PDB file of all heavy atoms in Angstrom:
ATOM      1  N   ASN C 158     105.635 109.409  83.411  1.00 54.00           N
ATOM      2  CA  ASN C 158     105.247 108.961  82.070  1.00 54.00           C
ATOM      3  C   ASN C 158     106.294 109.350  81.019  1.00 54.00           C
ATOM      4  O   ASN C 158     106.415 108.640  80.002  1.00 54.00           O
ATOM      5  CB  ASN C 158     103.901 109.535  81.670  1.00 54.00           C
ATOM      6  CG  ASN C 158     102.783 108.891  82.443  1.00 54.00           C
ATOM      7  OD1 ASN C 158     102.929 107.771  82.881  1.00 54.00           O
ATOM      8  ND2 ASN C 158     101.667 109.571  82.589  1.00 54.00           N
ATOM      9  N   SER C 159     107.008 110.427  81.222  1.00 53.00           N
ATOM     10  CA  SER C 159     107.990 110.832  80.230  1.00 53.00           C
ATOM     11  C   SER C 159     109.130 109.782  80.111  1.00 53.00           C
ATOM     12  O   SER C 159     109.726 109.631  79.044  1.00 53.00           O
ATOM     13  CB  SER C 159     108.573 112.202  80.547  1.00 53.00           C
ATOM     14  OG  SER C 159     109.279 112.160  81.763  1.00 53.00           O
ATOM     15  N   ALA C 160     109.357 109.053  81.180  1.00 50.00           N
ATOM     16  CA  ALA C 160     110.379 108.003  81.115  1.00 50.00           C
ATOM     17  C   ALA C 160     109.940 106.884  80.190  1.00 50.00           C
ATOM     18  O   ALA C 160     110.729 106.352  79.421  1.00 50.00           O
ATOM     19  CB  ALA C 160     110.646 107.439  82.529  1.00 50.00           C
ATOM     20  N   TYR C 161     108.667 106.555  80.209  1.00 52.00           N
ATOM     21  CA  TYR C 161     108.138 105.495  79.314  1.00 52.00           C
ATOM     22  C   TYR C 161     108.291 105.954  77.864  1.00 52.00           C
ATOM     23  O   TYR C 161     108.692 105.204  77.014  1.00 52.00           O
ATOM     24  CB  TYR C 161     106.643 105.214  79.583  1.00 52.00           C
ATOM     25  CG  TYR C 161     106.263 104.958  80.991  1.00 52.00           C
ATOM     26  CD1 TYR C 161     105.095 105.415  81.501  1.00 52.00           C
ATOM     27  CD2 TYR C 161     107.120 104.225  81.837  1.00 52.00           C
ATOM     28  CE1 TYR C 161     104.732 105.177  82.797  1.00 52.00           C
ATOM     29  CE2 TYR C 161     106.768 103.991  83.128  1.00 52.00           C
ATOM     30  CZ  TYR C 161     105.542 104.475  83.628  1.00 52.00           C
ATOM     31  OH  TYR C 161     105.221 104.230  84.894  1.00 52.00           O
ATOM     32  N   ILE C 162     107.922 107.198  77.631  1.00 55.00           N
ATOM     33  CA  ILE C 162     107.987 107.761  76.305  1.00 55.00           C
ATOM     34  C   ILE C 162     109.457 107.788  75.827  1.00 55.00           C
ATOM     35  O   ILE C 162     109.767 107.464  74.701  1.00 55.00           O
ATOM     36  CB  ILE C 162     107.359 109.158  76.247  1.00 55.00           C
ATOM     37  CG1 ILE C 162     105.857 109.038  76.549  1.00 55.00           C
ATOM     38  CG2 ILE C 162     107.599 109.835  74.910  1.00 55.00           C
ATOM     39  CD1 ILE C 162     105.181 110.352  76.864  1.00 55.00           C
ATOM     40  N   GLY C 163     110.356 108.178  76.708  1.00 56.00           N
ATOM     41  CA  GLY C 163     111.789 108.251  76.355  1.00 56.00           C
ATOM     42  C   GLY C 163     112.336 106.900  76.000  1.00 56.00           C
ATOM     43  O   GLY C 163     113.092 106.771  75.034  1.00 56.00           O
ATOM     44  N   ILE C 164     111.983 105.871  76.750  1.00 55.00           N
ATOM     45  CA  ILE C 164     112.475 104.515  76.459  1.00 55.00           C
ATOM     46  C   ILE C 164     111.895 104.031  75.147  1.00 55.00           C
ATOM     47  O   ILE C 164     112.615 103.468  74.301  1.00 55.00           O
ATOM     48  CB  ILE C 164     112.112 103.555  77.623  1.00 55.00           C
ATOM     49  CG1 ILE C 164     112.894 103.950  78.897  1.00 55.00           C
ATOM     50  CG2 ILE C 164     112.430 102.102  77.240  1.00 55.00           C
ATOM     51  CD1 ILE C 164     112.445 103.240  80.108  1.00 55.00           C
ATOM     52  N   ALA C 165     110.597 104.236  74.952  1.00 54.00           N
ATOM     53  CA  ALA C 165     109.983 103.797  73.705  1.00 54.00           C
ATOM     54  C   ALA C 165     110.596 104.536  72.528  1.00 54.00           C
ATOM     55  O   ALA C 165     110.835 103.928  71.470  1.00 54.00           O
ATOM     56  CB  ALA C 165     108.452 104.015  73.770  1.00 54.00           C
TER      57      ALA C 165
END
Side-chain angles (χ1 to χ4, degrees):
N158 287 337
S159 63
Y161 309 142
I162 295 166
I164 293 169

